[in-house]
Amino acid sequence: MSFITIKKETIKGSILFLSIILISFFSGKQFLQMHKKDIIIQGPGISSKVKLSVYFPLLKGTPGDTDVYVFKGKEEGGNLLILGGTHPNEPAGFLTAIILIENIHVDKGKVFIIPQANHSGFTHNDPHEGNPQRFPIQTPEGIRWFRYGSRLTNPVHQWPDPVLYVNPSGQKLSGAESRNLNRCYPGKAKGNLTERIAFGITNLIKKEQIDLAIDLHEAAPEYPVINAIVFHENSAELAALVYMELQMEGFEFRLEASPKNLRGLSHREWGDTTKVKAILLESANASHGRLKGKPSVALIIDGKDKNYVKASRIGRLFVPFDEKGIPLKVRVGRHVAAIKAFLSNLQEVELGKGIDITNFPSAREIIEHGTGIYLEPPK
Amino acid sequence: MKKIILSIFILHFFIVSALLGQEKKDEVINIFEQPILITSAGQSAEVQIASVLAKRAGLSAALSKAAFANELKGIRTLVIVLGVSLKGLGAAGLDISQETNRVQILVDDAQRKNIPILCLHLGGETRRGQLTDDLINTFLPFSKMAIVVESGNKDGLFTSICKENHIPLIVVERAVDALQPLKKAFK
């Protein structure tokens, strides 16, 4: 009798142990899927691809090192930096950067594009949020998949968070913000991984004498700074010109000055510590918000959500939101339109700093036909 | 019959007068002088758009987002761009009550010096809200003319204040459309 009892317990224990092993194995395998890199195809206009560690060697071999795509025109002109993926759960910025990488030719000036500014943030995706790990984009010749990462650096790469984070500009923030790239500027050479990424980007701006830097973001529809151009005071006139040009083309934006007391953000620290005209663009992403329903691939791509329609009806949002939602193609189209408007007005405020780009994707076509028409087919 | 004809004539007279009056409203010309001081009430970034518009209109304008009364020296017109931005107030290191006091002092001084005020609201519907509306109600009645973007006047707030205070109101579709009326408004 006693033998049978022991045997039953052993069997139960073994099943439990095996279940734990299996769950750990499959969830671990799923978790590691996030480390599988996105395929970014080098377009015909690229002059070179370098690592961010070229500008800050201490990043070499770390999860923070990331690709910088360089486009050099035959003629001297201005220098532009475009950042996507500062927050890897804001796909419009990342996708805009990829579309530009795969299409543009630069005739005058230099363009630097970093599609995955926080490379580490693409290797996890906040499991508690229940977001999909990847989202598909249909191209004319097949589907391409891209990661939907986290706002923050992977804690596996930077751990533990302090209780209180004092960023390089001296502002006190909650501990987790120590892994938010857009709170860590201008960065620290001997800081944590995120601060070192920020330091590398600031170094790039300085060494390449960037004239205009644009950081591409998305935000929740309930966030007041939405569909917005946030500008450092050194680029106020440029931002106003762009606002009006966009309005003439049928794109409504909000214009917001970068607050001097909000430290550590790209639009503040880039402008303060370098000579660059610092801009941040925000589009409205329902999958990013707190009011959203079930997280899904459809929510990321189609941007439709009943809760946001209700919230809009009772005046709780800062952006119009109806049953049509705000699809990814619209969010990317707005970013593309704004970048183009900045380029067309840069020459006006900075003589001799013009940047001429051909094969620039059309914002209207992206909005009408989707982002896939400007992406290379999957390989 | 005569009475009917007379009534039609009178009605026609009033309709034509009203239409002409409206047209006249839309063509407010040469009522302001230069140089101009452009300032914000609420620290929204539309003050920057006003500055670019003034530059495009070829006007002699100085931009001071948080101007004080001493900056009115030599100024012939004060342009106030209405619209509250919390980010903008933060950037200027002001809260809404400090901002309201600053603009009130500026407006009082302009009144004392007979400097006319032109109010602009260029941010449209997204730049409305309780805080902005409080500033509109407080400062718009002091203006000699107002130019506003149509979507910001959906509820007729600007129309009613301007009507009550006999202020010519120009409504434009987009901020960029404010250029021509702005140009025409200055000598």
Side-chain angles (χ1 to χ4, degrees):
Chain A
M1 193 67 189
S2 149
F3 172 72
I4 293 167
T5 311
I6 291 167
K7 203 176 177 187
K8 268 187 184 171
E9 281 172 357
T10 309
I11 290 167
K12 276 184 189 172
S14 301
I15 290 170
L16 186 66
F17 180 70
L18 200 64
S19 305
I20 291 168
I21 294 289
L22 283 173
I23 290 168
S24 304
F25 175 75
F26 285 110
S27 57
K29 203 176 168 191
Q30 193 68 27
F31 176 76
L32 289 174
Q33 282 287 311
M34 286 299 287
H35 288 260
K36 197 177 165 193
K37 288 184 178 176
D38 300 292
I39 295 170
I40 298 172
I41 297 162
Q42 294 196 37
I46 288 176
S47 308
S48 60
K49 184 174 92 172
V50 297
K51 286 281 183 188
L52 185 61
S53 54
V54 166
Y55 300 95
F56 181 46
L58 277 180
L59 276 175
K60 198 172 181 179
T62 70
D65 204 2
T66 191
D67 292 329
V68 182
Y69 295 82
V70 185
F71 301 75
K72 285 182 189 171
K74 286 178 186 166
E75 211 182 318
E76 288 280 312
N79 296 333
L80 167 71
L81 171 67
I82 294 172
L83 235 65
T86 291
H87 294 145
N89 61 343
E90 297 169 14
F94 165 56
L95 202 55
T96 301
I98 293 175
I99 284 173
L100 295 178
I101 287 167
E102 296 188 6
N103 287 276
I104 63 167
H105 287 261
V106 175
D107 297 327
K108 183 182 174 186
K110 274 189 213 170
V111 176
F112 300 80
I113 303 178
I114 305 178
Q116 295 178 309
N118 187 350
H119 187 260
S120 166
F122 280 87
T123 63
H124 72 134
N125 84 334
D126 303 324
H128 58 279
E129 291 283 343
N131 287 322
Q133 289 186 319
R134 280 184 158 74
F135 61 94
I137 298 291
Q138 180 73 50
T139 75
E141 293 174 58
I143 293 173
R144 282 179 65 181
W145 288 84
F146 298 102
R147 280 178 291 182
Y148 189 90
S150 164
R151 181 178 173 82
L152 306 174
T153 299
N154 194 333
V156 169
H157 300 145
Q158 184 183 310
W159 185 86
D161 289 340
V163 175
L164 188 72
Y165 173 53
V166 182
N167 75 8
S169 304
Q171 188 141 49
K172 288 176 188 165
L173 299 161
S174 69
E177 296 288 22
S178 65
R179 291 184 286 122
N180 181 350
L181 178 58
N182 204 27
R183 298 295 181 276
C184 292
Y185 289 109
K188 249 188 215 173
K190 291 180 181 173
N192 63 39
L193 178 64
T194 316
E195 289 170 337
R196 278 183 278 147
I197 298 167
F199 190 78
I201 292 168
T202 307
N203 268 4
L204 184 157
I205 293 170
K206 286 178 183 168
K207 283 185 185 170
E208 297 293 352
Q209 296 179 310
I210 300 291
D211 300 294
L212 171 65
I214 303 175
D215 192 9
L216 302 173
H217 284 256
E218 296 205 84
E222 66 267 31
Y223 181 58
V225 181
I226 194 70
N227 276 356
I229 298 168
V230 186
F231 62 91
H232 187 274
E233 57 270 17
N234 68 11
S235 47
E237 189 181 353
L238 176 63
L241 288 168
V242 167
Y243 172 90
M244 287 193 283
E245 182 171 321
L246 286 166
Q247 206 169 52
M248 283 189 275
E249 288 175 14
F251 292 100
E252 284 298 332
F253 276 79
R254 292 171 76 93
L255 207 51
E256 294 287 352
S258 168
K260 284 181 182 166
N261 48 2
L262 193 57
R263 309 304 309 200
L265 288 95
S266 55
H267 52 76
R268 169 54 40 205
E269 306 302 340
W270 289 353
D272 279 5
T273 57
T274 75
K275 290 175 184 170
V276 76
K277 293 192 178 305
I279 299 293
L280 185 145
L281 299 177
E282 293 274 17
S283 62
N285 177 5
S287 69
H288 199 275
R290 295 295 90 196
L291 308 178
K292 67 175 184 272
K294 186 184 171 189
S296 66
V297 162
L299 182 58
I300 295 168
I301 294 175
D302 301 332
K304 292 178 186 172
D305 189 284
K306 286 178 192 170
N307 294 351
Y308 276 108
V309 176
K310 280 183 199 166
S312 177
R313 278 190 198 132
I314 57 170
R316 299 290 177 186
L317 303 184
F318 290 87
V319 62
F321 201 106
D322 59 20
E323 284 77 6
K324 289 177 190 164
I326 306 176
L328 184 57
K329 62 182 182 178
V330 171
R331 283 134 54 195
V332 171
R334 292 176 62 87
H335 279 339
V336 168
I339 293 169
K340 202 169 187 178
F342 270 102
L343 290 176
S344 69
N345 285 285
L346 181 62
Q347 170 78 11
E348 191 163 332
V349 293
E350 285 278 339
L351 284 178
K353 296 293 183 187
I355 299 165
D356 291 343
I357 296 178
T358 51
N359 220 26
F360 202 98
S362 153
R364 287 287 170 209
E365 278 192 29
I366 290 172
I367 291 169
E368 201 171 323
H369 302 296
T371 52
I373 58 164
Y374 283 108
L375 288 174
E376 291 289 321
K379 284 184 178 173
Chain B
M1 187 65 183
K2 273 182 182 175
K3 275 184 181 174
I4 294 170
I5 292 169
L6 190 66
S7 305
I8 291 170
F9 179 77
I10 291 168
L11 191 66
H12 179 77
F13 174 78
F14 278 114
I15 290 170
V16 170
S17 303
L19 287 174
L20 284 176
Q22 184 64 43
E23 216 165 80
K24 201 178 168 189
K25 256 187 181 179
D26 291 343
E27 285 185 3
V28 181
I29 51 170
N30 298 343
I31 65 169
F32 296 107
E33 289 179 67
Q34 302 175 54
I36 310 161
L37 176 67
I38 301 172
T39 193
S40 172
Q43 299 301 315
S44 72
E46 285 86 64
V47 73
Q48 206 64 51
I49 298 168
S51 174
V52 170
L53 288 172
K55 200 173 166 184
R56 289 286 160 98
L59 303 174
S60 166
L63 170 66
S64 178
K65 287 184 276 186
F68 289 100
N70 60 345
E71 292 174 62
L72 286 173
K73 196 178 176 189
I75 293 297
R76 307 293 293 269
T77 302
L78 174 63
V79 174
I80 298 178
V81 185
L82 299 160
V84 172
S85 160
L86 294 177
K87 227 170 187 173
L89 285 171
L94 296 165
D95 61 28
I96 191 67
S97 105
Q98 288 169 318
E99 175 70 344
T100 308
N101 287 340
R102 178 189 68 81
V103 180
Q104 189 65 65
I105 292 166
L106 193 64
V107 166
D108 290 346
D109 205 52
Q111 299 269 296
R112 266 197 301 277
K113 291 172 179 165
N114 289 323
I115 298 171
I117 295 168
L118 166 61
C119 276
L120 306 179
H121 184 266
L122 302 173
E125 195 176 9
T126 55
R127 197 67 83 190
R128 284 285 305 277
Q130 195 53 56
L131 294 177
T132 296
D133 291 1
D134 289 346
L135 292 182
I136 293 168
N137 281 306
T138 309
F139 299 117
L140 183 59
F142 292 103
S143 70
K144 199 174 174 185
M145 176 184 160
I147 303 174
V148 306
V149 167
E150 198 172 12
S151 67
N153 190 34
K154 269 185 183 169
D155 60 353
L157 177 66
F158 288 96
T159 307
S160 63
I161 296 174
C162 286
K163 202 174 169 187
E164 203 177 305
N165 294 280
H166 311 290
I167 300 163
L169 171 68
I170 307 247
V171 179
V172 293
E173 197 186 334
R174 304 165 305 181
V176 69
D177 300 326
L179 177 63
Q180 285 310 318
L182 189 67
K183 206 172 181 176
K184 283 181 185 173
F186 283 87
K187 287 178 186 169

